[in-house]
C-alpha cells in the first residue's frame, strides 16, 4: 500500500516523522510532500532519510532545474499512484484550502487530483480550531467522508490548553490502515435500519419503553454508509447524532415504526431490524394525565404489531436481519426467531451483562444464519460488530443465491 503523506506547517510536524515510521512499520510505502511552511519546522532531509525517497517540496522544479513533463505533472502521477492521502499536521490553512478547492502548491493540487480515501490529522491553536471558519471547513471536509483524526485536547505549544494537539502517530497510522481497508462493497444497495427503543404512551406525559440506546443500529447505519450504501435509518427516540448522509425517519411508537418501515420498504434491498420495539402498548391511552391515588392501578396492554414477522412475509428477495436480545438460551432463541419470523440472519445478544447489549459501546453476539450455521463473534466495539454483520450478510446473500 502506498501513502502520500502531506506535512503542513505546524509545530506538530516533528511528530509526523514518527507517523511516517509507524506507517513504514506497518508495511506502507510512504511518499512525503511538505508545504513550504512545513519546511520551516522540519528539514526535508529528515523525511528523505526515513522513507528513502526524495521529498516533494514544491509544485514546480527548482529554478534552472531540468524541466521535464513528468515533474511538471507530478501532483497528478503521485495522486494516481497513492492508495491514501494523509495530511498531518492538517493546519487551519490547509483545511481551508482543501475545503474551498484552492490549488496553489503541491499538496493542495495533489489533494484535488486524488480520488481515494483522505485522512486528516488537524493540529493548531485551540482558538483557531474552534473558530467558526475552521469548524465550517471541517464540516465540508467531513461531508466528503474524509477521516478526521483528532485533534486531542491538552497543553498546546502556544502555552494554552484545549483542543488542538495532533493525535498520537500510532493512532493516526491505525486510522490510515482502516481508511484504506474500507470496501465500497455495498454500493447500489439500500439498507433500511431500525434503531433505538420505542415509546408507548401511557397518558400524555408518561410512556413504556426500554433501555435501548440505539448504538448498535446507528453503528450499522454508519458502517453501511461508509461502504457505499444508501441508508434509511428509522429511529426511535435516542440521544445520538444521526450519521451524515442517511435518510433519518424519527418515530416514537411501534405503530409509527411499522408505518415508516412499510413506507420505505419498496426501495430497500437489505432490512436490519436492530430496534428494541416494545411488545405491548397501552390499549386505551387517556386524553389527560392519570391522577395519582393510593389505589392499585392496572394497565391494560395490547400486543404491538410484530414488524419483523410482517417483513418476513413481505420481504421478497430482500435480505432480512432480525435481532434477539435475550437474558438466557440465546442460541435456541436466535434460531427459533430465524425460522418463525422468516429471517435470513438473527443477531443474538445476551443483555443484562457488562460489555454487551443495551447501553454498552461493545457487544458480543452470535449470528444465526439461514444456511443452518451459527457463528459466535468475539467481543468487540459495536462499530466492528456492525462491520462483521454486514460482511456476513453479503456472504449469506451469495450463499442463498447460489443455493437457488
Ligand atoms: O420477538 P422479539 O421481540 O424478541 O424479536 C426481536 C426482533 O423483532 C428485533 O429484530 C425487533 O426489531 C423485532 N420486533 C419487531 N416488532 C415488534 C417486536 C420486535 O419488529 N413488535
Amino acid at each position: 500500500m502506498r501513502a502520500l503523506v502531506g506535512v503542513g506547517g505546524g509545530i506538530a510536524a516533528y511528530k509526523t516523522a514518527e507517523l511516517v515510521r509507524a506507517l513504514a512499520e506497518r508495511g506502507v510505502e510512504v511518499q512525503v510532500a511538505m508545504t513550504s511552511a512545513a519546511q520551516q519546522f522540519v528539514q526535508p532531509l529528515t523525511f528523505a532519510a526515513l522513507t528513502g525517497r526524495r521529498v516533494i517540496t514544491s509544485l514546480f522544479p527548482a529554478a534552472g532545474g531540468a524541466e521535464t513533463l513528468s515533474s511538471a505533472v507530478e501532483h497528478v502521477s503521485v495522486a494516481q499512484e497513492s492508495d491514501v492521502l494523509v495530511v498531518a499536521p492538517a493546519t487551519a490553512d490547509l483545511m481551508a484550502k482543501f475545503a474551498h478547492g484552492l490549488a496553489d502548491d503541491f499538496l493542495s493540487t495533489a489533494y484535488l487530483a486524488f480520488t481515494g480515501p483522505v485522512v486528516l490529522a488537524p493540529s493548531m491553536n485551540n482558538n483557531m480550531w474552534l473558530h467558526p471558519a475552521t469548524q465550517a471547513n471541517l464540516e465540508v471536509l467531513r461531508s466528503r467522508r474524509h477521516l478526521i483524526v483528532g485533534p486531542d485536547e491538552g497543553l498546546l505549544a502556544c502555552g494554552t490548553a484545549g483542543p488542538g494537539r495532533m493525535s498520537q502517530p500510532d493512532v493516526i497510522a491505525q486510522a490510515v490502515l482502516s481508511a484504506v481497508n474500507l470496501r465500497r462493497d455495498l454500493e447500489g444497495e439500500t439498507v433500511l435500519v431500525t434503531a433505538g427503543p420505542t415509546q408507548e404512551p401511557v397518558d400524555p406525559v408518561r410512556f413504556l419503553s426500554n433501555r435501548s440506546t440505539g448504538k448498535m443500529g446507528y453503528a450499522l447505519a454508519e458502517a453501511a454508509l461508509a461502504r457505499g450504501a444508501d441508508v434509511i435509518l428509522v429511529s426511535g427516540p435516542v440521544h445520538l447524532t444521526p450519521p451524515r448522509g442517511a435518510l433519518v425517519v424519527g418515530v416514537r411508537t411501534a405503530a409509527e415504526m411499522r408505518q415508516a418501515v412499510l413506507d420505505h420498504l419498496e426501495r430497500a434491498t437489505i432490512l436490519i431490524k436492530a430496534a428494541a420495539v416494545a411488545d405491548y402498548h397501552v390499549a386505551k391511552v387517556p386524553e389527560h394525565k392519570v391522577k395519582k391515588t393510593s389505589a392499585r392501578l392496572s394497565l391494560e396492554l395490547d400486543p404491538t404489531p410484530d414488524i419483523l414477522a410482517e417483513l418476513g412475509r413481505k420481504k421478497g428477495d430482500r435480505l432480512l436481519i432480525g435481532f434477539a436480545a435475550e437474558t438466557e438460551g440465546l442460541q435456541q432463541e436466535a434460531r427459533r426467531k430465524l425460522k418463525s419470523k422468516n429471517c435470513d440472519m438473527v443477531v443474538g445478544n445476551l443483555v443484562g451483562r457488562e460489555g454487551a447489549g443495551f447501553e454498552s459501546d461493545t457487544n458480543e453476539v452470535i449470528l444465526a444464519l439461514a444456511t443452518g450455521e451459527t457463528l459466535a463473534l468475539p467481543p468487540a466495539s459495536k462499530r466492528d460488530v456492525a462491520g462483521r454483520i454486514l460482511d456476513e450478510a453479503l456472504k449469506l446473500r451469495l450463499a442463498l443465491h447460489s443455493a437457488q
Side-chain angles (χ1 to χ4, degrees), residues 10 38 49 51 62 98 139 149 258 309 329 340 352 392:
T51 60
F98 295 165
E139 280 300 299
V149 187
R258 171 180 175 273
S340 69
E392 293 305 326

Side-chain angles (χ1 to χ4, degrees), residues 194 273-275 277-279 304-308 322-324 326 337 341:
T194 69
K273 285 241 55 206
V277 186
D279 289 327
T304 53
D306 190 325
I307 310 167
L308 187 60
F323 273 66
E326 309 292 340
K337 279 180 193 166
K341 302 199 188 195

Side-chain angles (χ1 to χ4, degrees), residues 83-300:
D83 299 301
V84 58
L85 170 61
V86 188
V87 181
T91 58
D93 177 60
L94 281 174
M95 288 174 62
K97 276 187 182 160
F98 295 165
H100 295 277
L102 263 66
D104 62 352
D105 65 0
F106 178 86
L107 191 52
S108 51
T109 312
Y111 168 82
L112 288 185
F114 185 67
T115 54
V118 176
V119 179
L120 303 176
S123 167
M124 64 197 73
N125 159 270
N126 56 333
N127 288 336
M128 292 173 73
W129 171 252
L130 295 171
H131 194 285
T134 307
Q135 290 297 310
N137 292 333
L138 179 67
E139 280 300 299
V140 172
L141 297 169
R142 280 215 175 109
S143 71
R144 290 180 197 153
R145 305 252 175 99
H146 297 343
L147 188 58
I148 317 286
V149 187
D152 293 348
E153 298 229 0
L155 195 62
L156 304 174
C158 50
T160 55
R165 283 165 72 104
M166 189 166 94
S167 291
Q168 289 308 315
D170 265 343
V171 174
I172 304 172
Q174 213 43 52
V176 170
L177 292 197
S178 53
V180 175
N181 288 336
L182 275 186
R183 286 137 298 162
R184 305 280 296 172
D185 53 2
L186 287 173
E187 231 149 52
E189 304 280 354
T190 300
V191 181
L192 190 157
V193 183
T194 69
T198 65
Q199 292 178 350
E200 309 299 330
V202 171
D203 68 16
V205 297
R206 303 183 178 95
F207 55 78
L208 298 176
S209 192
N210 58 63
R211 287 170 51 203
S212 166
T213 57
K215 283 180 187 165
M216 193 63 236
Y218 276 56
L220 280 158
E222 252 163 45
L225 279 166
R227 286 163 72 159
D230 284 342
V231 170
I232 303 166
L233 176 59
V234 177
S235 176
V238 296
H239 300 283
L240 300 173
T241 310
R244 210 174 299 268
L247 168 66
V248 182
V249 186
V251 298
R252 196 168 160 226
T253 63
E256 286 170 19
M257 184 169 278
R258 171 180 175 273
Q259 195 53 53
V261 168
L262 294 182
D263 286 348
H264 293 92
L265 182 59
E266 199 58 41
R267 274 183 62 202
T269 55
I270 299 178
L271 307 164
I272 310 184
K273 285 241 55 206
V277 186
D279 289 327
Y280 293 94
H281 69 102
V282 174
K284 273 205 185 77
V285 181
E287 203 183 321
H288 296 289
K289 186 178 165 189
V290 177
K291 296 271 185 297
K292 182 169 75 175
T293 69
S294 51
R296 171 175 288 167
L297 176 71
S298 303
L299 289 176
E300 217 175 342

